[in-house]
Amino acid sequence: MGAPVATPVAGKVNLLDLDRRDLEAFCVALGEKSFRAAQIMKWIYHERVTDFAAMTNLSKALRERLAACAEIRPPELALDQGSRDGSHKWLIRLDSGNCIETVFIPEPDRGTLCVSSQIGCPLDCSFCATARQGFNRNLTVSEIIGQVWQASQSLGEVRNGNRAITNIVLMGMGEPLLNFDNVVKATDLMQDDLGFGISKRRVTLSTAGVVPALYRLKEVSEVSLAVSLHAPDDGLRNQLVPLNRKYPIAELLAACRHYIAGRPHRRITWEYVLLEGVNDSEAQAHALAALVESIPSKINLIPFNPFPDAGYRRSGPAAIARFQAILTARGLTAITRKTRGDDIAAACGQLAGQVQARGRRPGRPLRLAS
Ligand code: SAH
């Protein structure tokens, strides 16, 4: 199952931790021309080669030098699970018993890979299974891009003549903007033609709204943005997404406007989990429309995915249809996300992995590094 995985070798650089610029610098430091980086990247990401000996367009001497000081070590697959509906979930084993999850959702016109950015999550959103696991640490670049590497390997590069993975969303475990540098490097590798070559707009970062990081992101990245809104007013959002106490809705919307300003054809995807009797009333649909209608937007309504002791119920089909109809009648694009992978707990908000939480017990106040 999966690709060969080596144990870390002390002092060796894992090349999956390097983006194109880093790898060029690494080659120059070895006394090579920087274009060697392009050759090596093609082997790693296009051919998914982990053994330097197979890189036949590099000199034997260089291959041996690389083998002595570097390695290509994706994270280890612990479980590869298929769902009845064609979805796929991989459990990826990291250090000291920690596991993260990666999910693939095939649709007729696309294949979406949902990638994790942290082990657990510190944000403590009240309706999310990952939050219950607590937080351990940020993923490294190799652990993030390694999820794409392993999924590509497992799915095979092409399916029915098409690429299996056409879209990548950072909507798995964790808050990507709290792992800023590693997430930016990993998304660069997803988009880089020498990396996985996914089109810029088809790599989407989903955030609960770390406002200062959104301003920084605009300076360094062109990923598409999805924002977990879930409530049309600060009172309710403070309860559902505690991060809102630090960055309230008005500040979040201003940061989102800034992110797409000057970028034609870009819009913000607003995610809104529908919780029965909590955020699914007609008045709340109108309030949501009023908030976002001046911003180029698409609204993803997500039927709540239950997990044990969640304390919420999914809105009924009539309430979901009514909520969506109000948004549509006001001229907004609103879609209800189909729930996929229920039978393997691979649906939104159900990713739990296996997290050895550090330093935070349930009930302790949230502290955020900004
Ligand atoms: N931290 C990031 C990305 C991870 S969550 C964020 O907040 O956007 C990915 C999406 O799944 C978010 O919109 C999140 O709110 C949603 N989600 C979390 N728990 C859910 C659940 N139980 N049912 C449906 N969606 C859920």
Side-chain angles (χ1 to χ4, degrees):
M1 186 174 68
V5 176
T7 37
V9 180
K12 284 200 178 184
V13 176
N14 186 356
L15 298 190
L16 290 170
D17 277 313
L18 310 185
D19 65 7
R20 191 202 289 220
R21 273 229 314 266
D22 294 339
L23 189 59
E24 283 172 354
F26 181 79
C27 289
V28 169
L30 286 180
E32 293 289 330
K33 293 272 191 283
S34 61
F35 75 82
R36 295 282 173 220
Q39 292 176 306
I40 296 170
M41 281 181 73
K42 284 186 190 165
W43 284 112
I44 298 177
Y45 298 104
H46 298 182
E47 307 298 329
R48 289 187 303 282
V49 157
T50 53
D51 182 358
F52 294 109
M55 300 186 176
T56 47
N57 56 355
L58 306 180
S59 71
K60 189 148 181 285
L62 176 56
R63 283 184 259 160
E64 283 169 3
R65 285 240 304 295
L66 284 168
C69 68
E71 57 179 345
I72 299 159
R73 187 170 48 83
E76 185 187 350
L77 276 188
L79 183 71
D80 181 334
Q81 206 178 5
S83 158
R84 283 190 295 272
D85 65 15
S87 311
H88 219 96
K89 180 166 89 171
W90 297 273
L91 193 65
I92 291 184
R93 186 179 297 121
L94 306 170
D95 50 63
S96 54
N98 285 306
C99 287
I100 50 156
E101 297 183 336
T102 306
V103 173
F104 179 67
I105 305 140
E107 286 169 287
D109 59 337
R110 69 176 80 175
T112 303
L113 189 71
C114 180
V115 168
S116 296
S117 58
Q118 299 185 310
I119 306 179
C121 185
L123 290 188
D124 223 11
C125 296
S126 63
F127 51 87
C128 178
T130 304
R132 303 289 168 93
Q133 305 279 306
F135 174 67
N136 184 285
R137 67 167 170 82
N138 283 333
L139 295 182
T140 61
V141 178
S142 58
E143 289 165 341
I144 302 170
I145 201 66
Q147 295 170 60
V148 187
W149 197 98
Q150 287 288 23
S152 310
Q153 184 79 350
S154 165
L155 292 168
E157 197 183 13
V158 290
R159 227 186 219 195
N160 305 328
N162 295 310
R163 293 189 59 159
I165 300 169
T166 60
N167 294 54
I168 299 178
V169 293
L170 280 112
M171 289 186 192
M173 299 167 72
E175 168 48 52
L177 290 183
L178 292 179
N179 184 12
F180 190 91
D181 293 341
N182 293 346
V183 161
V184 167
K185 281 188 184 189
T187 51
D188 283 351
L189 283 168
M190 294 169 196
Q191 296 172 331
D192 195 323
D193 286 338
L194 298 172
F196 287 105
I198 307 280
S199 101
K200 287 206 184 336
R201 274 188 228 176
R202 290 168 179 260
V203 176
T204 301
L205 184 154
S206 176
T207 179
V210 188
V211 165
L214 281 169
Y215 287 98
R216 281 173 67 204
L217 188 67
K218 171 134 194 208
E219 303 305 314
V220 296
S221 179
E222 288 183 68
V223 290
S224 291
L225 206 59
V227 176
S228 293
L229 201 52
H230 308 316
D233 62 87
D234 283 324
L236 179 59
R237 195 163 190 269
N238 286 345
Q239 290 172 31
L240 301 178
V241 184
L243 181 67
N244 195 71
R245 296 175 205 152
K246 194 161 182 184
Y247 306 117
I249 292 175
E251 288 179 29
L252 175 56
L253 295 192
C256 292
R257 268 202 184 89
H258 173 80
Y259 189 77
I260 54 172
R263 291 179 164 172
H265 313 303
R266 285 303 185 106
R267 56 186 178 173
I268 304 288
T269 299
W270 306 101
E271 291 161 282
Y272 197 99
V273 174
L274 283 163
L275 306 165
E276 186 178 67
V278 175
N279 66 354
D280 63 351
S281 73
E282 289 185 29
Q284 284 162 323
H286 283 290
L288 172 62
L291 270 186
V292 303
E293 62 197 352
S294 65
I295 302 177
S297 294
K298 175 182 161 194
I299 301 166
N300 263 356
L301 300 174
I302 313 173
F304 172 66
N305 291 308
F307 52 89
D309 301 320
Y312 294 101
R313 280 194 305 267
R314 179 183 290 187
S315 303
I320 295 178
R322 185 188 57 188
F323 201 93
Q324 180 171 359
I326 290 170
L327 299 173
T328 309
R330 292 185 60 147
L332 288 157
T333 304
I335 60 143
T336 301
R337 192 181 286 170
K338 263 189 289 172
T339 288
R340 302 284 303 267
D342 277 10
D343 56 329
I344 55 169
C348 274
Q350 290 186 327
L351 301 188
Q354 189 181 326
V355 177
Q356 313 291 317
R358 286 206 303 221
R360 192 177 71 82
R361 266 175 246 107
R364 278 189 34 195
L366 173 77
R367 249 184 287 131
L368 292 167
S370 46

